[in-house]
Amino acid sequence: MSILIETNYEGKYRSSTKTPLSEERIAVNAARFNPVDLLASAYGSCILGTIDWEARKEHFETTESKSEITYDMSEDGSKVGKMNIKIFFKNDYTPEQKAVIEAAAKTKCHVGKSLDPAIEKNYEFIYKND
């Protein structure tokens, strides 16, 4: 099933996007919050949702988690070259649960699997973050 994402370019590096999930349009001003920022945001959201999905299949939850993603553009500035992904959890988990969490983050997220494999990805998992 195809999902329609409609984006209108308004000029001067501004656009707005409508998704089937919201009545409100997402506004982007590339001078302040650019489309690559949206990519990183989508990746962080996907990672957290994927982790929780996999955790629930193993009968535990990862609510109150948070991601922080920084990125660097490639040397020529034409694409993302490197992403540093930090994932924070309010709770601590058993070694088995941590293995589920970390595998989900690194290998099961749809957005992550769609990214260019040449992008260097560094993951850091921080447990029992108060």
Side-chain angles (χ1 to χ4, degrees):
M1 175 172 95
S2 297
I3 304 287
L4 175 64
I5 307 296
E6 175 188 293
T7 301
N8 294 347
Y9 186 69
E10 298 160 1
K12 297 185 180 180
Y13 309 109
R14 294 173 190 234
S15 63
S16 65
T17 301
K18 181 170 181 355
T19 74
L21 300 177
S22 174
E23 299 272 327
E24 294 183 37
R25 296 182 76 83
I26 300 167
V28 174
N29 179 342
R32 293 188 200 146
F33 186 77
N34 70 53
V36 178
D37 296 341
L38 287 173
L39 174 70
S41 173
Y43 189 28
S45 180
C46 183
I47 287 172
L48 295 174
T50 301
I51 288 170
D52 197 47
W53 174 266
E54 293 297 319
R56 287 173 185 269
K57 289 185 349 189
E58 298 297 322
H59 310 291
F60 70 100
E61 294 183 22
T62 59
T63 55
E64 298 187 55
S65 55
K66 174 178 89 168
S67 69
E68 291 180 356
I69 297 178
T70 60
Y71 63 86
D72 296 310
M73 298 304 286
S74 62
E75 203 169 295
D76 68 1
S78 66
K79 63 182 184 174
V80 175
K82 178 179 178 181
M83 297 181 106
N84 296 305
I85 302 107
K86 288 184 180 181
I87 306 169
F88 301 84
F89 300 92
K90 184 175 180 180
N91 299 315
D92 201 5
Y93 297 95
T94 67
E96 295 81 11
Q97 291 170 326
K98 288 178 181 179
V100 168
I101 288 168
E102 294 176 20
K106 294 177 182 179
T107 65
K108 303 220 176 189
C109 164
H110 295 46
V111 174
K113 289 167 59 171
S114 299
L115 293 173
D116 185 336
I119 297 172
E120 178 186 338
K121 295 178 207 74
N122 301 305
Y123 296 88
E124 184 178 355
F125 299 89
I126 297 119
Y127 297 97
K128 193 134 174 118
N129 181 53
D130 293 319

